[in-house]
Amino acid sequence: MDKFIIKGSSVLSGSVRISGAKNAALPIMAACLLTDEESILHGIPPLSDCLAMKSILESFGAMVIWNPLKQSLIIRPQGIKTCEIPYELATAIRASFLVMGPVLARFGQATLDMPGGCNIGLRPIDLHLKGFAALGAKIDIEHGKTLASAKYLIGDKIYLDFPSVGATENIMMAATLADGLTTIENAATEPEIVDLANFLNTMGANVKGAGTNTIKITGVKHLHGANYTIIPDRIEAGTLMAATAARGGEIFLEDIAGDHLKPVIAKLREMGVDISESANGLRVKSPGFMYLDATEIKTMPHPGFPTDLQAPFTSALALVKGNSIVTETIFENRFMHVPELVKMGANIKIASRSALIEGVECLSGARVMATDLRAGAALVIAAACADGTSEIENIYHIDRGYYKLENKLLNLGVKIERVSIDASIEKVV
Ligand code: EPZ
């Protein structure tokens, strides 16, 4: 078990290359099961969630060769021997469920336990199953497992009650091998959906309209392997932007596309942060929390403000003079970072789905605990802005979605160190 030790730091400065997007890598890795041909993926960060997906593909019988230095994967799904995965792998990550669409479409059946993932809400899978049923699959729930089976899938029109990212991805993948046309209405429009659609089309699929609320997929008989580079991680970029906004300074984020971060850029500019976009990245310049304006944030499906940046921004606003309100409309339990921020001196109250933030003069370093991926990132931001030293435990949550976050922050001037708790106990002993 590791922890971060972070000393309140001076302003941030420097340049950082943004890693590949976790939430693009996971569905695209699953999509490789739609063919028996080899695919090569580039820009896949060796995050624990991506390693978990690698194990899931291998449990089906696929061969996955990882080159961590080049951050590339060779996936050879020729030797698939089963249509189900072990409980431990299915429950390790939420994205495990994204293999259901590809396996159902290719083999006519799939059996999966309920997925795992951050405990930020109930996170049902009813919209995924509604989509598979619309394509003609028989769905059974037995002993906690979901069984989907269909001799063949037939295209149909599916209206998603909520623009679910995962359901859009799962149904889109299944529909690539269905007979005829599938239309997904009220589809999610996140950049990761577009990236998956682009990958599927590189495999020979026929997906149109990704990035809009209506996606049309015309089924094909066969898909082939592809060579593909995934998009950079807008959430990692947004997290570093929130840190710079609060702490102050000037950084350059390489390889990130401004149009993937429109709601975040707009909000930061409202707060008084200067952001300039160029062909190869974003320059972020901030006077620091003392000089920023309080604001209101409401998380919404894309192109609204992303829920994955709610916690990092709640943290950044804790020190901004005045009253800010952050409302979380996507997940019902995504304020677990607030009690930890209050331990550091933040003045935040939760009222229903909103965090009411009254900016404080300073935060003080404390021993706090990461409770989920983005909550952990929020604590890192608070610790970098706090007076004194903080210890953040359970940083395995952070490692799920941020590749070498401590290295990136160190290069930007944050005084952060990763320590193995066993080692620190040894020191004491
Ligand atoms: C994806 O999760 C991301 N994960 C999440 O990122 C992200 O927060 C979320 O999309 C929203 O943008 C991956 O891509 C691996 P949803 P997903 O289905 O697909 C409800 C992170 O920190 N819902 O769009 O699980 C659900 O309960 C993670 O990187 C149903 O009701 O999100 C939630 O309230 C966290 N029925 C809302 O929709 C369903 O069948 C959004 O969920 C599916 C979802």
Side-chain angles (χ1 to χ4, degrees):
M1 296 275 273
D2 292 353
K3 64 181 175 183
F4 282 150
I5 295 179
I6 301 174
K7 291 188 175 63
S9 313
S10 56
V11 296
L12 273 64
S13 71
S15 181
V16 63
R17 180 180 299 279
I18 297 299
S19 298
K22 164 179 85 81
N23 292 347
L26 295 170
I28 287 173
M29 287 172 74
C32 293
L33 293 172
L34 284 162
T35 177
D36 61 358
E37 296 180 19
E38 174 184 286
S39 290
I40 301 177
L41 305 180
H42 304 279
I44 307 286
L47 295 165
S48 52
D49 271 22
C50 296
L51 294 170
M53 183 57 84
K54 171 178 180 287
S55 303
I56 288 170
L57 299 182
E58 288 168 336
S59 73
F60 281 115
M63 179 189 282
V64 183
I65 302 159
W66 187 298
N67 182 331
L69 290 180
K70 288 189 184 161
Q71 298 195 16
S72 62
L73 273 182
I74 300 173
I75 298 175
R76 293 179 182 145
Q78 291 85 344
I80 303 290
K81 298 187 283 289
T82 173
C83 290
E84 56 184 289
I85 57 178
Y87 173 82
E88 297 69 28
L89 290 177
T91 53
I93 57 173
R94 168 77 181 176
S96 65
F97 210 73
L98 293 176
V99 299
M100 179 158 267
V103 172
L104 172 65
R106 186 150 161 240
F107 300 104
Q109 60 171 325
T111 303
L112 285 174
D113 291 279
M114 280 298 285
C118 291
N119 54 349
I120 53 179
L122 282 175
R123 307 186 80 178
I125 52 169
D126 57 313
L127 298 177
H128 299 241
L129 302 182
K130 174 182 173 181
F132 297 144
L135 297 178
K138 182 174 177 295
I139 307 290
D140 296 299
I141 312 275
E142 286 171 12
H143 313 298
K145 291 177 183 288
T146 303
L147 293 76
S149 55
K151 278 199 179 42
Y152 44 82
L153 297 176
I154 302 172
D156 201 342
K157 186 174 276 192
I158 298 155
Y159 185 88
L160 291 180
D161 304 342
F162 181 88
S164 155
V165 170
T168 301
E169 292 167 340
N170 234 338
I171 298 163
M172 191 161 69
M173 289 189 281
T176 58
L177 294 178
D179 293 341
L181 175 66
T182 297
T183 303
I184 305 174
E185 293 187 312
N186 197 27
T189 65
E190 276 72 0
E192 292 76 23
I193 303 280
V194 177
D195 211 26
L196 174 61
N198 290 340
F199 176 66
L200 292 169
N201 287 336
T202 310
M203 294 174 82
N206 183 341
V207 181
K208 290 186 171 56
T212 73
N213 294 116
T214 302
I215 302 177
K216 291 183 183 296
I217 306 106
T218 305
V220 295
K221 285 279 172 258
H222 170 78
L223 293 177
H224 51 74
N227 191 321
Y228 193 78
T229 301
I230 66 165
I231 56 173
D233 194 322
R234 63 191 170 106
I235 305 302
E236 179 185 77
T239 303
L240 295 173
M241 292 164 85
T244 305
R247 181 66 279 176
E250 182 173 346
I251 67 170
F252 185 75
L253 300 173
E254 297 169 27
D255 290 349
I256 189 68
D259 64 353
H260 289 179
L261 282 160
K262 279 187 180 161
V264 179
I265 292 171
K267 191 51 69 179
L268 285 170
R269 283 174 172 155
E270 272 175 41
M271 292 166 61
V273 178
D274 176 29
I275 295 174
S276 47
E277 302 177 47
S278 64
N280 63 336
L282 290 176
R283 183 165 301 283
V284 181
K285 191 174 177 184
S286 168
F289 55 79
M290 299 282 283
Y291 303 98
L292 298 185
D293 297 328
T295 189
E296 289 203 20
I297 290 176
K298 185 174 184 182
T299 65
M300 296 294 281
H302 193 74
F305 191 92
T307 174
D308 293 347
L309 287 174
Q310 178 265 104
F313 271 74
T314 300
S315 201
L317 288 168
L319 283 159
V320 172
K321 272 196 303 294
N323 294 311
S324 297
I325 301 176
V326 175
T327 300
E328 173 59 60
T329 71
I330 307 293
F331 291 106
E332 59 272 29
N333 183 33
R334 205 166 199 181
F335 283 126
M336 291 180 286
H337 48 291
V338 169
E340 300 302 303
L341 292 174
V342 168
K343 274 186 202 169
M344 299 175 76
N347 181 349
I348 306 174
K349 292 178 181 58
I350 302 296
S352 177
R353 302 287 292 245
S354 295
L356 311 178
I357 305 166
E358 188 174 335
V360 293
E361 298 258 308
C362 71
L363 294 176
S364 58
R367 189 167 168 179
V368 290
M369 198 165 283
T371 51
D372 61 79
L373 167 52
R374 308 302 175 183
L379 298 178
V380 171
I381 293 172
C385 297
D387 295 348
T389 301
S390 298
E391 291 189 14
I392 302 177
E393 296 182 357
N394 289 358
I395 60 172
Y396 62 86
H397 286 293
I398 300 174
D399 292 338
R400 291 186 49 218
Y402 293 93
Y403 181 52
K404 292 198 172 172
L405 182 62
E406 68 273 25
N407 294 24
K408 292 181 171 112
L409 289 170
L410 263 174
N411 292 336
L412 293 175
V414 175
K415 298 182 182 68
I416 179 172
E417 178 190 9
R418 177 187 289 261
V419 172
S420 158
I421 289 185
D422 308 338
S424 61
I425 291 169
E426 275 159 26
K427 273 186 198 156
V428 169
V429 171

